[in-house]
Structures are given as C-alpha cells and as structure tokens.
Amino acid sequence: MFRAIGIGYSRSLTSAAALNWVLKDGLGRLSRCIYTASLASAFDTNLKRVRFTTSMLFTFSIGVELLTPVFPHQFLLLASLANIAKQMSLACYMATSPPIHRSFAIADNLAEVSAKSQIQSVCFDNLGLMLAAILNMLLKNNQRLQTGLPFILYPIFSAIDLFGIYQGLKHVHLQTLTKDRLEIIIDSWISSGYVPSPEEVSKDEEINFMWSKGKEPLRIRIGCLNPKAQLSKLSVMTMQSVSNEDHYFICTEIFYRGLAKTREQGILLCIREGARMADVIMGLLQACNVRKALRSSMWESTTKASDSSDLILKEWFKLIDDSKRYVQQQFGPLNEQMMVRGWALKNILLNTEEQTRYSYMDD
C-alpha cells in the first residue's frame, strides 16, 4: 500500500505521498458532506430504501479495496473510490440508526438498544477476524490459495450480509407516517375498510434501489405543477376551480420516465401553504380514491380521448366532487383507526419536493 503511493522509492518525496493520502481522505469527507446535504430529508422519508442502497454501496467499496493489491499503480484512484463509498455509507448509517433503534425501544430504553446494537456489531467483527486468522493459518503452506481466498469468500459473505440487512429492515416497524406508508394504509382502507398495523405495512413497504421508486401505474406525487411543462386543459381548469376554502387540489400530470422517456400519466396532489396534517391525509385519501376510479373500465376508455374534450372535463369534475364527499365520510373513521393501530399522527414526514406548497391569491 505504501509502495503504491510512492514511499520506498529514492526519487519519491514523502510529502508527495502524504499529499496523496490526504487527498484520498479529503475526497471521502467532501463526498460525505455533499451526500448528506443532498439527501437530508430522504433519511426520514425513505429510510429503509436509503439504508439498503448504501449497504450495497459499502459492499462495493470493500470489493474495490480488494483490487488495490492487484493494481498497485492505481492505488490512489481505487482507494479514493472505496473511501468515498465508505464515507457515504457511514453517513447513512449514522443518520438512520436512531430511528431504527427507536422502533425497538418499546420502554423508551433507546440507549440500551443502541448499546446492544454496538455489541452485536463488535461481536460479528471479531468473529470475522477470528475466521480470517484461522483460514490464514490453515493455508499458510499454500500461498496461491491464500492469495485468492479473499476473492472467493468476498461474494459469498457479501450476499449473506446483504440478505441479512434486507431481512433485518423488514422487521423494523416504523410508526411514523411518510407519503409511501400513508398511501399503503389508505389503499388498504379504500379496498377493504381496514387499517394495517406498522408490522403489516413493513411487509408491503418496498426496500429497493432509490431509482426504482414509483414505477406503479398512475403514481401519486405530492408537489406542484412544473411551470416549464406544457399544462393540459384539464389541469388549467382544475386550478381555476380552486377556491379560498380549499387546502389542496388534485389534477393529472404527464411525466416521462427513464432514459427511453416513456410517456406516462400520474396524479398530482398540490398542498396549500398553511395546510395542516389532516389536510394532507384528506388530500392523499382523495387522490387514492380518484386513482381507483381512473383505473376502472370506464376511465380506461374515456382517457384514450383528448383530455380537453367536454366529456372528459365533465367526468373529471364529477369524479372530484364524488371523491370529496367520500373523504368527508371516511376521514373521521380512518383517523380513529390509525390511532388505534398505533400510528404516530403528530406529523407526516415529507421530502423536499413534497414540502412544496402553493399560495392562493384571490383576484
């Protein structure tokens, strides 16, 4: 490792080697700072997804470190990449650990749960070191096999580690509400009149890559209309119908997904400034009810026409009125059942985009 950065050669300067070493650590810390600043709200709203994604990133960093002896002349590049990935994973681990530990602290014994988690980590680290030492002793007479052993065991233990992290996150039952969890609860309520518990939502909650989020048809997005995009007549008419008494409005939007720019339709929930948590729940309840109607056979045929046709506009506003009446009837029972099932109703955790609000100006 030291030879790769220049120490040991007569023509090299120790200061240059030290500079390379500082550069490697400096890039890692800088990347950690940028990563935490860009994903600050995602640590709460997409906790499990971010945790699992960065766990895979940490596994990748270990694999890159294993390549440094194979390519000693590329040590600085490989070590810098590995250190950047490790610093980002460490930032995610430190940010997501408190809420995960809090979910297990039933008797408010958060410090005890955190201490036991550290004990488990130390025990498995020591177990890994012990196993490595034993294998080195057993293979000390076979230098070739001893050299290739890390490359053989790395994919096996990495797969076991990621599988354990995935299963462990499935057993983390968070009681805080996010847009995704609230959407699962509301969909269950609309279809069967049943509010799932945090344990049941954990089974349905997706733990996948950040970029694979939201691939379901007619996805619901909380935010505001894109001013740079071309607005449909339906969206314009919906905004014109908003009154001073409304705390949110719902309209459709067209977005393009992936590198292929596939054109898809979605539902947009716009929240007004000063809206309460109850307004957000009511808005998402209405949006989910609207989505259910849009997936029906009637709307499959009518949405093939232009959204500016009189038939579409008439059916859309009728659907909005029917869904408002549904929300007025179902919000009270839904809210009571959520309290009974143990959900924390003090606040809804939203990311930066979902916190965007619109202002109402009466002409």
Side-chain angles (χ1 to χ4, degrees), residues 81-133:
L81 290 175
N83 196 41
I84 289 172
K86 279 192 173 183
Q87 289 290 335
M88 293 169 62
S89 302
L90 178 62
C92 174
Y93 176 81
M94 295 179 65
T96 56
S97 291
I100 291 177
H101 294 162
R102 192 182 302 114
S103 66
F104 292 100
I106 301 176
D108 292 334
N109 54 337
L110 180 59
E112 180 185 0
V113 174
S114 300
K116 290 182 177 179
S117 175
Q118 294 182 35
I119 292 173
Q120 290 180 357
S121 299
V122 172
C123 288
F124 279 99
D125 286 343
N126 291 335
L127 183 62
L129 290 173
M130 187 185 303
L131 180 61

Side-chain angles (χ1 to χ4, degrees), residues 40-161:
S41 61
F43 290 130
D44 288 315
T45 56
N46 294 307
L47 186 146
K48 294 183 180 181
R49 186 179 289 113
V50 173
R51 181 68 173 264
F52 185 70
T53 303
T54 52
S55 296
M56 296 193 67
L57 188 63
F58 182 79
T59 303
F60 167 77
S61 69
I62 297 176
V64 173
E65 283 186 337
L66 288 176
L67 295 177
T68 53
V70 182
F71 304 99
H73 297 291
Q74 302 295 330
F75 171 80
L76 183 60
L77 175 62
L78 295 176
S80 298
L81 290 175
N83 196 41
I84 289 172
K86 279 192 173 183
Q87 289 290 335
M88 293 169 62
S89 302
L90 178 62
C92 174
Y93 176 81
M94 295 179 65
T96 56
S97 291
I100 291 177
H101 294 162
R102 192 182 302 114
S103 66
F104 292 100
I106 301 176
D108 292 334
N109 54 337
L110 180 59
E112 180 185 0
V113 174
S114 300
K116 290 182 177 179
S117 175
Q118 294 182 35
I119 292 173
Q120 290 180 357
S121 299
V122 172
C123 288
F124 279 99
D125 286 343
N126 291 335
L127 183 62
L129 290 173
M130 187 185 303
L131 180 61
I134 293 174
L135 290 176
N136 280 327
M137 292 175 61
L138 294 176
L139 300 175
K140 62 181 180 180
N141 295 327
N142 193 335
Q143 190 67 28
R144 185 175 182 180
L145 183 58
Q146 189 180 38
T147 304
L149 186 63
F151 300 97
I152 299 174
L153 296 181
Y154 165 72
I156 299 175
F157 283 99
S158 296
I160 296 174
D161 179 55

Side-chain angles (χ1 to χ4, degrees), residues 63-326:
V64 173
E65 283 186 337
L66 288 176
L67 295 177
T68 53
V70 182
F71 304 99
H73 297 291
Q74 302 295 330
F75 171 80
L76 183 60
L77 175 62
L78 295 176
S80 298
L81 290 175
N83 196 41
I84 289 172
K86 279 192 173 183
Q87 289 290 335
M88 293 169 62
S89 302
L90 178 62
C92 174
Y93 176 81
M94 295 179 65
T96 56
S97 291
I100 291 177
H101 294 162
R102 192 182 302 114
S103 66
F104 292 100
I106 301 176
D108 292 334
N109 54 337
L110 180 59
E112 180 185 0
V113 174
S114 300
K116 290 182 177 179
S117 175
Q118 294 182 35
I119 292 173
Q120 290 180 357
S121 299
V122 172
C123 288
F124 279 99
D125 286 343
N126 291 335
L127 183 62
L129 290 173
M130 187 185 303
L131 180 61
I134 293 174
L135 290 176
N136 280 327
M137 292 175 61
L138 294 176
L139 300 175
K140 62 181 180 180
N141 295 327
N142 193 335
Q143 190 67 28
R144 185 175 182 180
L145 183 58
Q146 189 180 38
T147 304
L149 186 63
F151 300 97
I152 299 174
L153 296 181
Y154 165 72
I156 299 175
F157 283 99
S158 296
I160 296 174
D161 179 55
L162 290 175
F163 178 77
I165 293 173
Y166 182 87
Q167 292 298 323
L169 290 174
K170 279 291 186 180
H171 289 81
V172 174
H173 310 312
L174 301 172
Q175 298 177 339
T176 52
L177 288 176
T178 63
K179 183 259 181 184
D180 293 339
R181 294 185 201 122
L182 187 57
E183 193 173 341
I184 295 174
I185 295 171
I186 291 176
D187 284 338
S188 175
W189 177 263
I190 292 176
S191 60
S192 60
Y194 174 75
V195 172
S197 64
E199 292 82 1
E200 293 169 322
V201 171
S202 297
K203 298 178 181 178
D204 298 330
E205 196 173 8
E206 293 183 352
I207 306 175
N208 48 27
F209 303 109
M210 292 291 293
W211 53 84
S212 63
K213 179 187 174 184
K215 290 193 174 182
E216 68 278 0
L218 282 175
R219 70 170 187 181
I220 298 175
R221 182 175 71 88
I222 299 178
C224 286
L225 288 166
N226 185 5
K228 297 181 180 179
Q230 183 179 2
L231 301 180
S232 63
K233 184 178 179 181
L234 192 149
S235 299
V236 174
M237 295 290 291
T238 302
M239 287 189 292
Q240 291 177 348
S241 66
V242 176
S243 65
N244 190 33
E245 288 76 23
D246 295 326
H247 295 283
Y248 63 87
F249 70 88
I250 297 171
C251 64
T252 60
E253 67 172 352
I254 301 298
F255 62 95
Y256 296 89
R257 187 197 304 278
L259 297 176
K261 299 296 182 181
T262 306
R263 188 175 185 270
E264 295 187 17
Q265 187 177 28
I267 299 175
L268 176 63
L269 171 61
C270 297
I271 309 295
R272 182 178 173 178
E273 283 186 354
R276 304 165 300 167
M277 188 196 69
D279 298 322
V280 179
I281 297 177
M282 293 174 67
L284 195 55
L285 176 60
Q286 184 176 353
C288 290
N289 183 261
V290 169
R291 178 171 62 183
K292 182 181 179 182
L294 289 175
R295 288 173 174 173
S296 65
S297 58
M298 176 191 70
W299 278 95
E300 285 180 358
S301 58
T302 55
T303 51
K304 293 179 180 179
S306 173
D307 66 348
S308 62
S309 66
D310 294 336
L311 175 62
I312 292 295
L313 292 175
K314 181 179 178 181
E315 291 294 334
W316 171 257
F317 286 108
K318 181 178 181 299
L319 174 60
I320 292 297
D321 292 337
D322 292 342
S323 60
K324 281 185 177 179
R325 287 191 292 268
Y326 174 83

